[in-house]
Short mmCIF file of all heavy atoms in Angstrom, two decimals:
data_model
loop_
_atom_site.label_atom_id
_atom_site.label_comp_id
_atom_site.label_asym_id
_atom_site.label_seq_id
_atom_site.Cartn_x
_atom_site.Cartn_y
_atom_site.Cartn_z
N GLU B 466 20.65 -3.01 -38.19
CA GLU B 466 20.84 -1.62 -37.78
C GLU B 466 19.89 -1.28 -36.63
O GLU B 466 18.77 -1.78 -36.57
CB GLU B 466 20.52 -0.67 -38.94
CG GLU B 466 21.44 -0.79 -40.12
CD GLU B 466 22.63 0.15 -40.01
OE1 GLU B 466 22.72 0.89 -39.00
OE2 GLU B 466 23.46 0.14 -40.94
N VAL B 467 20.34 -0.40 -35.73
CA VAL B 467 19.44 0.15 -34.73
C VAL B 467 19.42 1.65 -34.95
O VAL B 467 20.48 2.28 -35.00
CB VAL B 467 19.89 -0.18 -33.31
CG1 VAL B 467 18.86 0.35 -32.31
CG2 VAL B 467 20.09 -1.67 -33.13
N VAL B 468 18.24 2.22 -35.16
CA VAL B 468 18.13 3.64 -35.46
C VAL B 468 17.12 4.29 -34.52
O VAL B 468 16.39 3.60 -33.81
CB VAL B 468 17.72 3.87 -36.93
CG1 VAL B 468 18.80 3.37 -37.88
CG2 VAL B 468 16.38 3.21 -37.23
N SER B 469 17.09 5.60 -34.55
CA SER B 469 16.25 6.35 -33.62
C SER B 469 15.25 7.19 -34.38
O SER B 469 15.61 7.93 -35.28
CB SER B 469 17.15 7.25 -32.78
OG SER B 469 16.38 8.15 -32.03
N TYR B 470 13.98 7.04 -34.02
CA TYR B 470 12.96 7.91 -34.59
C TYR B 470 12.66 8.98 -33.55
O TYR B 470 12.52 8.69 -32.36
CB TYR B 470 11.68 7.13 -34.90
CG TYR B 470 10.56 8.04 -35.34
CD1 TYR B 470 10.54 8.56 -36.62
CD2 TYR B 470 9.56 8.41 -34.44
CE1 TYR B 470 9.53 9.43 -37.00
CE2 TYR B 470 8.56 9.28 -34.82
CZ TYR B 470 8.56 9.79 -36.11
OH TYR B 470 7.58 10.67 -36.48
N LEU B 471 12.56 10.20 -34.01
CA LEU B 471 12.41 11.31 -33.09
C LEU B 471 11.39 12.28 -33.67
O LEU B 471 11.47 12.64 -34.84
CB LEU B 471 13.77 12.00 -32.98
CG LEU B 471 14.06 12.93 -31.83
CD1 LEU B 471 13.76 12.26 -30.50
CD2 LEU B 471 15.52 13.33 -31.89
N ALA B 472 10.41 12.67 -32.88
CA ALA B 472 9.43 13.64 -33.36
C ALA B 472 9.21 14.68 -32.28
O ALA B 472 9.19 14.36 -31.09
CB ALA B 472 8.12 12.95 -33.70
N TYR B 473 9.08 15.92 -32.70
CA TYR B 473 8.78 17.01 -31.76
C TYR B 473 7.52 17.71 -32.21
O TYR B 473 7.21 17.75 -33.40
CB TYR B 473 9.92 18.04 -31.76
CG TYR B 473 11.20 17.54 -31.20
CD1 TYR B 473 12.27 17.24 -32.04
CD2 TYR B 473 11.36 17.36 -29.84
CE1 TYR B 473 13.48 16.78 -31.53
CE2 TYR B 473 12.56 16.90 -29.32
CZ TYR B 473 13.61 16.62 -30.17
OH TYR B 473 14.78 16.16 -29.65
N ALA B 474 6.81 18.27 -31.27
CA ALA B 474 5.67 19.11 -31.63
C ALA B 474 5.45 20.10 -30.50
O ALA B 474 5.72 19.80 -29.33
CB ALA B 474 4.41 18.26 -31.82
N ALA B 475 5.00 21.28 -30.88
CA ALA B 475 4.67 22.26 -29.85
C ALA B 475 3.45 21.74 -29.09
O ALA B 475 2.66 20.97 -29.63
CB ALA B 475 4.35 23.60 -30.50
N ALA B 476 3.31 22.16 -27.83
CA ALA B 476 2.13 21.75 -27.06
C ALA B 476 0.89 22.10 -27.86
O ALA B 476 0.81 23.18 -28.44
CB ALA B 476 2.14 22.46 -25.71
N GLY B 477 -0.05 21.18 -27.93
CA GLY B 477 -1.28 21.45 -28.68
C GLY B 477 -1.20 21.02 -30.12
O GLY B 477 -2.20 21.03 -30.83
N GLN B 478 -0.02 20.66 -30.58
CA GLN B 478 0.11 20.17 -31.96
C GLN B 478 0.27 18.65 -31.94
O GLN B 478 0.79 18.10 -30.99
CB GLN B 478 1.34 20.81 -32.63
CG GLN B 478 1.21 22.30 -32.82
CD GLN B 478 0.07 22.66 -33.74
OE1 GLN B 478 -0.04 22.13 -34.84
NE2 GLN B 478 -0.82 23.53 -33.27
N PRO B 479 -0.16 17.98 -33.01
CA PRO B 479 -0.03 16.51 -33.01
C PRO B 479 1.43 16.10 -33.21
O PRO B 479 2.19 16.76 -33.89
CB PRO B 479 -0.87 16.09 -34.21
CG PRO B 479 -0.92 17.29 -35.10
CD PRO B 479 -0.83 18.49 -34.22
N LEU B 480 1.77 14.97 -32.59
CA LEU B 480 3.10 14.37 -32.78
C LEU B 480 2.99 13.42 -33.97
O LEU B 480 2.07 12.63 -34.05
CB LEU B 480 3.48 13.55 -31.56
CG LEU B 480 4.23 14.24 -30.44
CD1 LEU B 480 4.35 13.29 -29.26
CD2 LEU B 480 5.59 14.71 -30.89
N GLU B 481 3.93 13.53 -34.87
CA GLU B 481 3.96 12.59 -35.99
C GLU B 481 4.24 11.20 -35.42
O GLU B 481 5.28 10.98 -34.82
CB GLU B 481 5.10 13.02 -36.92
CG GLU B 481 5.09 12.42 -38.29
CD GLU B 481 3.98 12.98 -39.16
OE1 GLU B 481 3.70 14.20 -39.09
OE2 GLU B 481 3.40 12.18 -39.89
N PRO B 482 3.28 10.26 -35.52
CA PRO B 482 3.53 8.96 -34.88
C PRO B 482 4.67 8.22 -35.58
O PRO B 482 4.85 8.37 -36.78
CB PRO B 482 2.21 8.22 -35.04
CG PRO B 482 1.54 8.86 -36.20
CD PRO B 482 2.01 10.29 -36.25
N GLY B 483 5.43 7.45 -34.84
CA GLY B 483 6.48 6.64 -35.45
C GLY B 483 5.87 5.33 -35.92
O GLY B 483 4.80 5.31 -36.52
N LEU B 484 6.54 4.22 -35.62
CA LEU B 484 5.98 2.92 -35.96
C LEU B 484 5.25 2.39 -34.72
O LEU B 484 5.42 2.90 -33.62
CB LEU B 484 7.10 1.97 -36.39
CG LEU B 484 7.89 2.44 -37.63
CD1 LEU B 484 9.00 1.46 -37.97
CD2 LEU B 484 6.97 2.63 -38.83
N ALA B 485 4.44 1.35 -34.94
CA ALA B 485 3.65 0.81 -33.84
C ALA B 485 4.58 0.35 -32.71
O ALA B 485 5.45 -0.47 -32.93
CB ALA B 485 2.80 -0.35 -34.33
N PRO B 486 4.39 0.88 -31.48
CA PRO B 486 5.26 0.50 -30.38
C PRO B 486 5.04 -0.97 -29.99
O PRO B 486 3.92 -1.45 -30.01
CB PRO B 486 4.84 1.43 -29.24
CG PRO B 486 3.48 1.92 -29.60
CD PRO B 486 3.37 1.87 -31.10
N GLY B 487 6.14 -1.64 -29.68
CA GLY B 487 6.03 -3.04 -29.28
C GLY B 487 5.51 -3.93 -30.38
O GLY B 487 4.88 -4.95 -30.13
N ALA B 488 5.78 -3.55 -31.66
CA ALA B 488 5.34 -4.37 -32.78
C ALA B 488 6.42 -4.29 -33.88
O ALA B 488 7.37 -3.53 -33.76
CB ALA B 488 4.01 -3.87 -33.32
#
Side-chain angles (χ1 to χ4, degrees):
Chain B
E466 295 270 0
V467 183
V468 295
S469 170
Y470 173 77
L471 198 53
Y473 293 106
Q478 294 297 309
L480 270 173
E481 195 72 38
L484 300 179

